[in-house]
Amino acid sequence: MSIETSTTRVGDLSAYLARPAGGSGAGMLLLPMITGIGEQVRAWADELAGRGITTLTWDVFHGASTDNTSREDLGAKLGELSDEVALTEQTALLDHLLGDLGCTSAGVMGWCLGGRFALLLAARDQRLSGVVAYHPTVRDPLPPNHTLDTVALSTAITAPVLVSYPEADTVVSHETFDRLQAALQSRATGATFTQHFPGAEHGFSDSSRHGTAVNADAFALSWPQTLAFLDALKG
């Protein structure tokens, strides 16, 4: 399938757009990991566009990504992220997907910090058709700039959720993930699909971690299931 890619403006925001030539009814908002809109995330956006999904990617760090900034410097920016500011930006992008881009439905997919925001956005905005949260960074206790409690708010999500957890995650404890999973499964509306990968590490989907076989294997198993989930959302 022929696709179109560009860096586009949505108000004051910059975003990466990948879509089938001529657009599509199915949309997906991508919320990156610490890499920002780096090569890896653009490749995922392009792949989804090739499957008939219009993808719009949030620019986490407003121009900074692994294309032009070290991971250490990007990591230093994490403490500057505001939950409310980020969600306002993401909502504007979702409005654009469902408005000017002509999508009739849209889901959200995020990795690490973006996985957490995918859950928070879905808790706030019931327009979303589905949620994919790869190894969401749900910390306990909450860092000072995490003003929203992801676990507590996840009970408000009405869309189906696919969440992936690596058993050797040193960022998100087993106890915290158990509480998140229990909150998701307590919902009266919206299926919960959980992927659990023994031995895999936080951020296992990041290709920079695929030198460790268990991480590469986890991603190789998880990605086809994610694509099948997204295909089901398209109807």
Side-chain angles (χ1 to χ4, degrees):
M1 181 181 294
S2 176
I3 70 170
E4 305 166 342
T5 64
S6 64
T7 298
T8 189
R9 299 295 299 183
V10 180
D12 294 332
L13 304 173
S14 177
Y16 180 72
L17 173 64
R19 62 179 177 174
S24 64
M28 188 64 55
L29 177 61
L30 302 187
L31 308 180
M33 59 185 86
I34 195 172
T35 60
I37 308 180
E39 181 179 3
Q40 166 108 81
V41 174
R42 295 196 306 275
W44 283 329
D46 294 353
E47 182 176 356
L48 297 186
R51 298 176 69 89
I53 301 172
T54 295
T55 64
L56 194 62
T57 306
W58 175 49
D59 186 357
V60 184
F61 302 115
H62 296 180
S65 74
T66 45
D67 289 349
N68 54 32
T69 307
S70 71
R71 286 176 182 259
E72 291 73 22
D73 287 345
L74 291 173
K77 294 177 179 292
L78 290 177
E80 301 170 8
L81 288 177
S82 159
D83 283 352
E84 290 296 343
V85 171
L87 288 169
T88 297
E89 292 179 356
Q90 294 157 17
T91 300
L93 297 181
L94 181 59
D95 290 343
H96 189 61
L97 270 173
L98 294 171
D100 293 343
L101 292 178
C103 295
T104 55
S105 66
V108 63
M109 175 159 58
W111 299 264
C112 298
L113 72 94
R116 173 177 176 264
F117 276 120
L119 296 168
L120 289 174
L121 183 64
R124 180 167 292 190
D125 199 321
Q126 272 70 49
R127 292 177 297 172
L128 288 163
S129 60
V131 184
V132 177
Y134 265 97
H135 32 74
T137 305
V138 181
R139 296 180 182 271
D140 186 12
L142 300 180
N145 64 318
H146 286 198
T147 55
L148 298 176
D149 186 332
T150 311
V151 172
L153 292 172
S154 290
T155 59
I157 299 173
T158 57
V161 175
L162 172 62
V163 60
S164 299
Y165 182 69
E167 183 271 335
D169 196 327
T170 58
V171 176
V172 181
S173 69
H174 293 181
E175 292 76 16
T176 299
F177 183 76
D178 286 346
R179 290 194 300 109
L180 174 62
Q181 185 168 233
L184 290 170
Q185 292 180 355
S186 74
R187 298 175 299 144
T189 303
T192 302
F193 302 90
T194 303
Q195 298 177 334
H196 181 269
F197 297 100
E201 300 168 321
H202 186 77
F204 71 82
S205 56
D206 188 341
S207 60
S208 70
R209 294 182 175 271
H210 291 177
T212 302
V214 68
N215 292 330
D217 291 345
F219 182 70
L221 283 171
S222 71
W223 190 241
Q225 305 306 314
T226 298
L227 296 176
F229 179 74
L230 299 186
D231 285 344
L233 296 182
K234 290 191 297 183

